[in-house]
Amino acid sequence: MTTTSASRSGRSRRSTRPSGDDREAAILATAERLLSDRPFADISVDDLAKGAGLSRPTFYFYFASKDAVLLALLQPLIAQADTGFDGTMDSLPGDPRRAFREGIRTFFTAFGSHSVVAKAGTEAIAGSPDVRAVWSAFMQKWITQTAALIDAERARGAAPDTISSHDLATSLNLMNERAMTATLVGEKDAVAEDRIVETLAHIWLTSIYGDSQ
């Protein structure tokens, strides 16, 4: 065998081996597939490793725990949802209805794109300190943003100064979380998917602006 042919042969063999990115992606794909069939609590590290074609030790090279896998699936959804109120402060005076509605729509669309992951995240909040910490930080940011928007609307005289803006923002965001989760997982009494955004937007606008909107 010549040096050239040996080199080509070596490159060929190496190219068929899964890269670290491929293995990580296989674990994430396995997790999402398993979540479509069973609760997150019923999925083990062995299930994830086996489904991805890896050994248990190899799994731990890429993720510290199954909670870390769930967080990796949740992060892009959270990042997308977090853009919901980008630029809202500037657009509120011109069209407050549209500004709040689009923020709610962005949030629902983000988590609705991977509803089994969203459901698993909701289930894991109670049992996983890591998931709870990430989700709590995210929710607190949304609550703070919402309270600032309410204060801005009150300051310009567009919204009545009623209850605490922080309490109102907290209640509205927690309502979104619960109502959207019920819709995404198909609970019996949930609001239909094609009406959830408009329903929540109506409640937000009525709560913030009263009869003025």
Side-chain angles (χ1 to χ4, degrees):
M1 180 182 291
T2 66
T3 303
T4 301
S5 63
S7 176
R8 286 175 177 170
S9 175
R11 283 199 300 270
S12 177
R13 285 195 298 272
R14 285 195 297 271
S15 67
T16 63
R17 297 174 184 171
S19 68
D21 288 346
D22 291 336
R23 289 171 175 172
E24 184 173 321
I27 294 170
L28 295 174
T30 298
E32 190 157 4
R33 175 173 54 79
L34 292 175
L35 285 171
S36 66
D37 296 325
R38 66 183 91 160
F40 178 67
D42 293 346
I43 298 173
S44 67
V45 167
D46 286 336
D47 292 331
L48 295 170
K50 182 178 179 180
L54 305 173
S55 66
R56 186 183 178 95
T58 302
F59 169 91
Y60 283 116
F61 182 81
Y62 296 100
F63 292 99
S65 65
K66 71 171 190 174
D67 288 359
V69 175
L70 179 57
L71 281 172
L73 290 172
L74 284 169
Q75 288 287 5
L77 308 188
I78 291 174
Q80 182 183 344
D82 200 29
T83 67
F85 279 166
D86 285 355
T88 301
M89 192 70 77
D90 295 329
S91 60
L92 271 176
D95 193 350
R97 284 181 177 274
R98 183 176 183 278
F100 279 113
R101 184 181 293 108
E102 289 309 306
I104 294 169
R105 188 185 309 282
T106 298
F107 191 102
F108 183 72
T109 300
F111 289 100
S113 64
H114 294 272
S115 58
V116 296
V117 176
K119 179 184 179 184
T122 301
E123 294 171 346
I125 289 173
S128 169
D130 290 340
V131 174
R132 183 165 58 251
V134 170
W135 185 251
S136 295
F138 170 65
M139 285 298 292
Q140 187 54 57
K141 179 181 178 181
W142 264 69
I143 289 168
T144 300
Q145 284 181 321
T146 303
L149 293 169
I150 293 171
D151 286 337
E153 289 297 86
R154 290 177 176 181
R156 74 182 186 91
D161 191 355
T162 54
I163 64 173
S164 158
S165 61
H166 182 270
D167 290 349
L168 179 55
T170 299
S171 299
L172 290 173
N173 278 280
L174 291 177
M175 174 191 67
N176 275 15
E177 178 188 18
R178 180 66 187 93
M180 288 183 182
T181 298
T183 296
L184 289 172
V185 303
E187 290 186 16
K188 180 181 177 182
D189 298 320
V191 179
E193 190 168 333
D194 62 348
R195 299 198 305 273
I196 185 67
V197 171
E198 289 300 323
T199 299
L200 292 174
H202 172 80
I203 297 171
W204 274 57
L205 293 168
T206 303
S207 299
I208 295 170
Y209 294 100
D211 295 337
S212 62
Q213 290 296 318

